């Protein structure tokens, strides 16, 4: 079992023409009876390219028809890929898998859910999800339909990070924004603090590596006429 949590991953660069030249996290193991638990990570990719076929991936996972082979449990992660795709055949993908089999993509009450997937403005080159069978999954609704019952509480939004104008990027979340990801996670036993050691909310933790307190939250109440 591999547990990966509370990581900031950013500023990955590659000058080649590879169709999948950068991966924020790449899970390529094929060993039986293995599990990968990815909890509370923040990935931000914004690579540029001059190569026509260049592509990038926020998270890559090797599929298997056996549920216990490289089982992926993905919860409370921010996966943002706003890299520039190659001009002719490049793809910018948030979540990529090598085939359409979902058996080892964990579902159920404590399965993969409460994540943020974002790949820029949806288009044929900017995809939330990709595998060789499902090649054009652009929107959250299409992705959720494909992988149901997984990711029912997941989001597609561009978080407001503290500073992504200069490296090293500061992927902490701005306090006066990010209402969508605030309190939108799910508690996981044993994961009680964040990247900085701040204690997470025990019932509604924030998504990503940073537990923060949003200072601006809009609360709407409905009134009946009259």
């Amino acid at each position: 079992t591999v547990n990966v949590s509370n990581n900031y991953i950013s500023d990955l660069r590659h000058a080649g023409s590879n169709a999948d030249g950068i991966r924020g996290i790449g899970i390529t193991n094929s060993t039986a009876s293995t599990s990968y638990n990815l909890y509370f990570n923040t990935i931000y990719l914004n690579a540029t390219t001059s190569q026509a076929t260049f592509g990038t991936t926020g998270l890559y996972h090797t599929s298997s028809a056996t549920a216990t082979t490289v089982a992926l449990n993905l919860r409370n992660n921010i996966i943002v890929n706003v890299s520039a795709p190659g001009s002719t055949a490049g793809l910018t993908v948030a979540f990529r898998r090598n085939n359409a089999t979902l058996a080892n993509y964990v579902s159920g009450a404590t399965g993969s859910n409460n994540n943020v997937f974002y790949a820029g403005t949806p288009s044929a080159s900017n995809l939330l999800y990709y595998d060789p069978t499902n090649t054009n999954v652009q929107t959250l609704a299409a992705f959720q339909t494909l992988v149901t019952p997984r990711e029912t509480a997941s989001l597609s939004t561009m978080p407001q990070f503290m500073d992504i104008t200069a490296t090293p990027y500061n992927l902490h979340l701005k306090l006066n924004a990010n209402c969508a990801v605030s309190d939108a996670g799910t508690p996981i036993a044993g994961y009680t603090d964040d990247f900085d050691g701040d204690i997470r909310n025990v019932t509604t933790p924030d998504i990503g590596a940073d537990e923060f307190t949003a200072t601006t939250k809009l609360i709407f109440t409905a009134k009946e006429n009259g």
Side-chain angles (χ1 to χ4, degrees), residues 20-176:
D20 192 11
I22 293 175
R23 295 171 178 171
I25 294 178
I27 301 172
T28 59
N29 187 9
S30 59
T31 304
S33 301
T34 53
S35 298
Y36 285 76
N37 299 319
L38 271 58
Y39 302 148
F40 295 110
N41 298 287
T42 297
I43 299 170
Y44 173 71
L45 303 182
N46 66 334
T48 58
T49 184
S50 61
Q51 304 293 332
T53 59
F54 180 68
T56 55
T57 299
L59 169 65
Y60 178 91
H61 177 224
T62 298
S63 302
S64 175
T66 302
T68 55
T69 297
V70 201
L72 174 64
N73 195 343
L74 185 68
R75 287 195 278 167
N76 302 330
N77 300 278
I78 293 174
I79 302 172
V80 172
N81 185 5
V82 290
S83 301
S87 57
T88 60
L91 296 176
T92 295
V93 181
F95 183 23
R96 187 189 304 242
R97 305 176 83 239
N98 66 310
N99 67 54
T101 302
L102 297 175
N104 66 336
Y105 179 14
V106 178
S107 63
T110 59
S112 298
N113 211 346
N114 300 85
N115 300 292
V116 170
F117 301 93
Y118 187 76
T121 302
S123 74
S125 299
N126 297 80
L127 307 174
L128 287 193
Y129 175 86
Y130 173 91
D131 65 48
T133 300
N134 301 284
T135 59
N136 195 29
V137 183
Q138 301 179 22
T139 66
L140 179 65
F143 174 53
Q144 289 173 322
T145 298
L146 178 67
V147 304
T148 187
R150 307 161 187 83
E151 311 302 347
T152 57
S154 292
L155 309 168
S156 184
T157 185
M158 178 62 192
Q160 298 298 305
F161 298 116
M162 290 294 290
D163 187 3
I164 51 175
T165 62
T167 56
Y169 297 137
N170 182 349
L171 299 186
H172 289 82
L173 295 169
K174 291 183 178 179
L175 302 183
N176 61 346

Side-chain angles (χ1 to χ4, degrees), residues 7-28:
N7 294 284
Y8 289 125
I9 299 170
S10 66
D11 195 28
L12 303 181
R13 309 289 173 180
H14 180 53
S17 58
N18 305 61
D20 192 11
I22 293 175
R23 295 171 178 171
I25 294 178
I27 301 172
T28 59

Side-chain angles (χ1 to χ4, degrees), residues 166-208:
T167 56
Y169 297 137
N170 182 349
L171 299 186
H172 289 82
L173 295 169
K174 291 183 178 179
L175 302 183
N176 61 346
N178 296 297
C179 296
V181 301
S182 178
D183 301 335
T186 184
I188 302 173
Y191 293 83
T192 58
D193 58 9
D194 73 350
F195 176 89
D196 304 295
D198 297 332
I199 301 300
R200 292 192 179 275
N201 188 302
V202 297
T203 56
T204 55
D206 299 329
I207 299 176

